[in-house]
Amino acid sequence: MDIIETIKKRKSSRTFNQVALKPADKRDLENFIIENSKGLESEVVNFRIIEKNDADRQMKLDFGMIKGHNTYILGTAKSSIDSRVNYGYLMEKVVLKATEMNLSTCWVGYFDYSYFKEVSIEDGFEIPSIVIIGYSDDRQTYQDKYIRFTINASKRQSWGKMFFNYKLKLPLTPEYIKKYSDSLEMVRLTPSSGNTQPGRVFFDDTANEFHFFKKTISKRYESRGLHDIDMGIVLSHFELTSLQSGLKGRWLKHTKENVSTIDELQYIMSWKWE
Ligand SMILES: Cc1cc2nc3c(=O)[nH]c(=O)nc-3n(C[C@H](O)[C@H](O)[C@H](O)COP(=O)(O)O)c2cc1C
């Protein structure tokens, strides 16, 4: 499936129908996870698909916000910004694969860690976020609609707030950045914690590089590392769309001295267009 169509099709589901993953779906997803376990700077995440039967405990996992779920994808990452970014980058590829397979998903950053006793967490590691996966219940609950309404889940920031020229710091337009306009549009459509969209992209037209920065929108999400996950999701959408458009490039991380400081933004990574 076309990655642009898949990105446009994905939206968070909060009403699942309690049916376990079909064996063929589980196997395809597990194979995808194995083939796509190597991420940014070659850091590996081994995601697991975990199935649970204890319906009465579900309530505890997500504080009752999501209904009818029993299957989860999660792994561990170092408690560092870069590792969380990588976790988001790799996991979003799994989410998009699941979307392509007509499975429903919801990223969850607020959950009860004690629900996953089967996952051992080494010192200095954490489960930065999980993804709930399954089949959607067509009868979307009132609560699901209410959550989407309160966080304005279908709305996204405008180009002018997210994408800029690196030297002039002026907004980029799709007409100016023609070849990469789809890549940036798919960045604009990324899901993010509380739909806060912390990603900012600056294009350096001399070096042909896109610099990705994080803007702390919510201190609460930032302190839980969720904005780092949001940034990983941004990188994955950008890369997948660029590669599909035939635009070759690679990720690199500049040293602090080699990137301009921009207001209150934090530098994450750059895409070198080759
Ligand atoms: C890192 C991350 C954490 C999230 N945590 C939660 C959560 O704890 N509970 C929840 O209901 N939704 C959570 N979401 C889903 C967002 O609210 C959702 O992606 C956003 O509102 C945009 O809506 P959409 O995914 O339908 O496009 C999370 C999303 C991300 C990316």
Side-chain angles (χ1 to χ4, degrees):
M1 198 198 231
D2 181 272
I3 192 66
I4 295 177
E5 272 176 44
T6 309
I7 288 173
K8 287 185 175 166
K9 184 174 144 190
R10 187 218 56 82
K11 66 172 185 158
S12 299
S13 174
R14 295 183 181 82
T15 320
F16 292 86
N17 70 358
Q18 269 168 344
V19 175
L21 283 191
K22 292 179 196 141
D25 281 345
K26 190 174 176 206
R27 193 194 52 229
D28 289 354
L29 215 50
E30 274 171 345
N31 287 340
F32 182 87
I33 285 172
I34 293 166
E35 282 160 22
N36 292 277
S37 60
K38 204 190 221 183
L40 301 163
E41 304 192 303
S42 300
E43 189 173 342
V44 169
V45 180
N46 295 310
F47 292 117
R48 286 173 60 182
I49 300 179
I50 295 182
E51 292 169 307
K52 302 252 196 188
N53 301 318
D54 44 358
D56 47 329
R57 286 202 66 223
Q58 274 183 8
M59 187 74 178
K60 220 177 147 234
L61 170 76
D62 56 44
F63 319 108
M65 302 300 275
I66 304 172
K67 305 279 181 229
H69 49 87
N70 49 26
T71 310
Y72 312 91
I73 310 179
L74 59 144
T76 60
K78 274 183 237 137
S79 302
S80 71
I81 296 172
D82 288 349
S83 291
R84 281 191 293 264
V85 170
N86 183 52
Y87 188 95
Y89 165 86
L90 285 173
M91 181 74 102
E92 180 67 1
K93 290 187 174 182
V94 181
V95 165
L96 293 173
K97 174 69 187 171
T99 308
E100 196 185 81
M101 292 165 62
N102 288 321
L103 295 167
S104 296
T105 54
C106 189
W107 272 98
V108 176
Y110 282 92
F111 61 96
D112 179 359
Y113 296 86
S114 68
Y115 194 65
F116 298 107
K117 294 230 163 47
E118 57 273 76
V119 178
S120 60
I121 305 172
E122 287 172 61
D123 263 3
F125 280 69
E126 63 189 31
I127 302 172
S129 266
I130 62 168
V131 165
I132 297 184
I133 185 157
Y135 307 98
S136 234
D137 188 331
D138 296 335
R139 296 161 298 157
Q140 196 190 32
T141 58
Y142 169 76
Q143 182 176 313
D144 192 338
K145 287 186 194 144
Y146 181 72
I147 294 174
R148 292 195 67 79
F149 172 75
T150 51
I151 50 182
N152 224 339
S154 302
K155 193 164 185 289
R156 292 297 188 266
Q157 291 280 13
S158 62
W159 269 61
K161 295 246 168 68
M162 296 181 74
F163 312 131
F164 305 89
N165 179 295
Y166 184 56
K167 293 210 189 76
L168 306 172
K169 311 286 181 286
L170 291 173
L172 277 183
T173 60
E175 295 74 34
Y176 178 82
I177 195 78
K178 245 190 189 95
K179 285 196 171 162
Y180 272 93
S181 61
D182 281 342
S183 308
L184 292 177
E185 178 62 11
M186 293 308 115
V187 163
R188 205 176 72 81
L189 299 188
T190 47
S192 55
S193 46
N195 207 13
T196 45
Q197 296 193 270
R200 299 290 178 268
V201 186
F202 289 76
F203 178 55
D204 179 347
D205 47 12
T206 314
N208 264 334
E209 285 177 11
F210 290 84
H211 302 303
F212 289 74
F213 288 82
K214 174 179 77 175
K215 178 171 181 166
T216 298
I217 308 287
S218 152
K219 287 205 177 107
R220 199 160 68 97
Y221 295 145
E222 172 63 8
S223 67
R224 213 174 159 104
L226 298 182
H227 278 337
D228 301 329
I229 302 288
D230 296 335
M231 289 308 299
I233 298 174
V234 160
L235 302 187
S236 72
H237 281 211
F238 184 87
E239 178 194 289
L240 290 169
T241 313
S242 302
L243 294 181
Q244 181 178 279
S245 310
L247 300 163
K248 295 207 178 74
R250 65 187 161 87
W251 294 110
L252 55 96
K253 190 151 178 110
H254 286 296
T255 54
K256 268 202 185 111
E257 305 75 58
N258 286 327
V259 206
S260 316
T261 339
I262 304 173
D263 301 332
E264 74 282 44
L265 304 186
Q266 188 179 359
Y267 172 66
I268 300 293
M269 268 198 129
S270 305
W271 172 264
K272 174 101 190 150
W273 181 10
E274 291 170 327

